[in-house]
Amino acid sequence: MQTLLKGYLKNLYQLRGNKYLFCLLGLIITIVITRFHIEFLWYKQFAWQGILLYKILFQLIGFLIGSFICLLLGFWQNRLTYLNQRIKNKTTSINFSGLNYGLLLITCILIVVATNIYLLEYLITTISQETTTSYYLINPFQSGQDIFLIAVVSTITILSVIVSRNCIQHIQTITNLIFCISIARSWKLWGLALAIPDSGINDSLFDMDVSYSMAKFPAIATILSLLLLLFINTLGSSGWRYLVVGQRLSDWSAPVLTSQLKHQFRPIIFSILLISSALLWISRHEFLWRSTEILTGAGWLDIHFNIPLRTISSIFLVFLSFLVLFRKIYFLKAFRYSFILLSFTPILLEVLLSPILNWIVVKPRELSYQSKYIEKSITATRRAFKLDSIRTSLINPNQSLSKSDLDLGENTLKNIRLWDTQPLLATNSQLQQFRVYYRFASASVDRYLLKKNSTERQQVIIAAREIDHNELPYKSKTWLNKHFIFTHGHGFTVSPVNTKEEDGLPNYFISDLGVSTKVEGNSSLGITSDDVSLAIPIGEGGIYYGSIPTPYAIAPSNLKEIDYPEGDKNIFNNYQGIG
């Protein structure tokens, strides 16, 4: 253990001269501190510092657990390197040479590249999708951007190992860092899995509480997937280091593994097989979330073919993993091969035969096969939306209206809407937008008490004039403009829903906010401008929190922000809020 610790510390000491690695770490630390400061200010304004503390605590625990796992793998790799150094100068029989040696090299580097792509894709997903609580089975081939990422990672990794065969150690360090950050960034999964209460409702397939499939399954499946990727990556990089140590790369050959090296490789292969078994076992819950053209959830083929195959494969993988670990248990060679066959054949059968069986067996008689499961899906959906608690009652309405009926419904009849939100937004874009970089994105219908000494509510449509950075002129799309100058929209309109102008345009209670603010009443509704001013105070017209996705704004600052246009000029202001 002392030798292993010294070797590990020696590797860390050697990294001190890698200025690029430390620059990367410095950049990451700077980004983390900056984001934390912004988040602290946001949580502070709502007095939610305790929630932020829980979030940081979950992330810190996740990072420390990930670091501990990477440290254990580091000890294992240093032990492997120590044993490898002992045999590199010895004369041993050659087992890997020529084509076999080249194929092993290519396999190892492909393993490193593929696992790094998946881990990096997962990390990017956790950063870009803050609120997502399910990252299970990330698919890295969903867009052109992902394919670009694959090309970049592959090129950098391959060029690095070509330039320096020892560069794989630095790649492994970066991989470990990505893994630790990914664990930390997945705090939402662990937090939800630990906090979600039991619903008291069990699914009909596995007879487990539905909270398990909703929150605990994604968390466990994700951690198992990340662990599997890390262990496979470590195995690939260790294989590469074994093949290129000393003069083996120039000789294009490597000696046979000694008994000590074989014994050293067993724990990680055991771990990979055991994690794969657990992942296969738990992945059966994935069928509860699958959707087809006519069914959401597990169907006939899943229950009678796919799930049993995964169960069989998972069980035999457990036996195979212990067979690898305890090699001193002597089994017949045919018996060992049968375990390997029984472990991996069911997965191949699911991949190859499942689409064929679905096409040949299920599709022609889909209704008869799936009706039972469609009924279960409908029942579960009704329960999820609480539609099963709806009670129906028969009402026989009176066919004739009396004057008392009209008097009772007078307020409702007066507020019958003439205006829909879309025509109003289209009109606002022509009359109230003022600049191309402003946009009325959405409108809301609400009711206000506008008349003095009256309980009668007036229905209105409210629309906000927000800023749309995508519509800024090309030359104005600078970093300074997007984050310091064009920080907010300005103004809103309030229109009654049940009146119009003589030319068909909408009436406005509030319009032209900022340019020449108009607050008007409506004589036909018996509402004065004073009533509107009292009920809807305008105050500051800047809109910093809107519905259009925008870049972050840094405010207040010493720079003047564009508040609203007035003719050919712009009126400037500074943020006066506390958020």
Side-chain angles (χ1 to χ4, degrees), residues 425 428-429 432-444 462-472 485-493 513 541-551 562-565:
L425 290 174
N428 278 4
S429 67
Q432 299 287 320
Q433 192 161 301
F434 303 147
R435 291 287 190 274
V436 293
Y437 49 80
Y438 288 125
R439 183 153 66 92
F440 288 90
S442 60
S444 300
I462 303 173
R465 188 190 299 117
E466 302 180 52
I467 192 165
D468 186 356
H469 286 84
N470 294 324
E471 298 300 327
L472 284 173
I485 308 300
F486 294 91
T487 58
H488 62 282
H490 189 91
F492 57 91
T493 64
L513 202 62
I543 299 175
Y544 286 82
Y545 300 93
S547 59
I548 299 177
T550 58
I562 291 179
D563 203 25
Y564 59 88

Side-chain angles (χ1 to χ4, degrees), residues 41-60:
L41 293 176
W42 190 88
Y43 279 90
K44 183 181 177 182
Q45 68 182 336
F46 302 107
W48 288 348
Q49 296 94 322
I51 296 175
L52 180 61
L53 182 62
Y54 277 115
K55 174 184 175 182
I56 294 170
L57 185 63
F58 271 115
Q59 294 190 74
L60 182 61

